[in-house]
Amino acid sequence: MSLPERWIERIFARLLVRYGAAWLRMWEGVDVDALKADWATHLAGYADKPSVLTHALENLPADKPPTVAQFALLCRSAPQYAIKRLPAPLGDKELGRQIAAGLAHSRRLAQPPRDATVERLRALLDQGVQLTQYQRDALRELSPSG
């Protein structure tokens, strides 16, 4: 894999603006396509790091245009930014157990007791309400007599 051609075009355009005739004289007699292909291959490792290429372009030598090897050295001199990581959570095992127990208790409270469910379903039957298949199955499973 090599650096995208449009990136090489932009780098070359910037170098031409910066160095003018000195840039052109440097590559006089060299096949431009071969030159661009060489730069693209040599700088391929920076395809996922455009900020490194920007750093190199912002820190070009003042006196003469760089070769691809010199440009790569400028890329390698780019500052490396470390990704800041969040600190590990402070663990309190007892607090965790208490929270887990509270959640389990909350789940039990959210479900009506079996007896209340059976009574409610029987009351619906007594009122002549047609129960769904799910309700009939629940009544059969939850009833003490079955």
Side-chain angles (χ1 to χ4, degrees):
M1 184 178 162
S2 59
L3 210 59
E5 185 179 341
R6 62 187 173 88
W7 290 20
I8 295 298
E9 293 289 342
R10 288 181 183 169
I11 291 170
F12 276 36
R14 177 73 74 84
L15 293 170
L16 179 60
V17 167
R18 175 66 61 90
Y19 299 108
W23 172 253
L24 295 174
R25 275 193 309 275
M26 189 171 174
W27 307 114
E28 203 169 345
V30 176
D31 178 44
V32 175
D33 291 333
L35 179 65
K36 288 179 181 179
D38 182 54
W39 276 64
T41 302
H42 199 81
L43 301 175
Y46 304 110
D48 61 341
K49 301 173 189 151
S51 63
V52 170
L53 297 168
T54 301
H55 170 81
L57 289 170
E58 291 172 350
N59 292 282
L60 293 169
D63 55 341
K64 63 179 183 160
T67 62
V68 68
Q70 292 165 335
F71 190 84
L73 281 174
L74 291 170
C75 290
R76 284 194 289 277
S77 72
Q80 301 296 318
Y81 298 103
I83 297 172
K84 293 184 180 180
R85 296 176 187 228
L86 294 174
L90 300 175
D92 183 344
K93 290 182 182 180
E94 182 54 34
L95 178 61
R97 281 197 262 305
Q98 290 174 4
I99 291 171
L103 290 173
H105 180 69
S106 297
R107 275 190 237 117
R108 284 192 299 273
L109 291 177
Q111 296 175 353
R114 285 179 171 216
D115 293 341
T117 303
V118 169
E119 287 176 26
R120 187 173 53 81
L121 290 173
R122 284 197 177 135
L124 289 172
L125 275 176
D126 292 343
Q127 296 170 11
V129 174
Q130 180 71 31
L131 297 180
T132 66
Q133 182 63 47
Y134 175 78
Q135 289 170 322
R136 287 191 304 271
D137 292 345
L139 183 59
R140 190 173 32 259
E141 289 176 21
L142 297 175
S143 294
S145 59

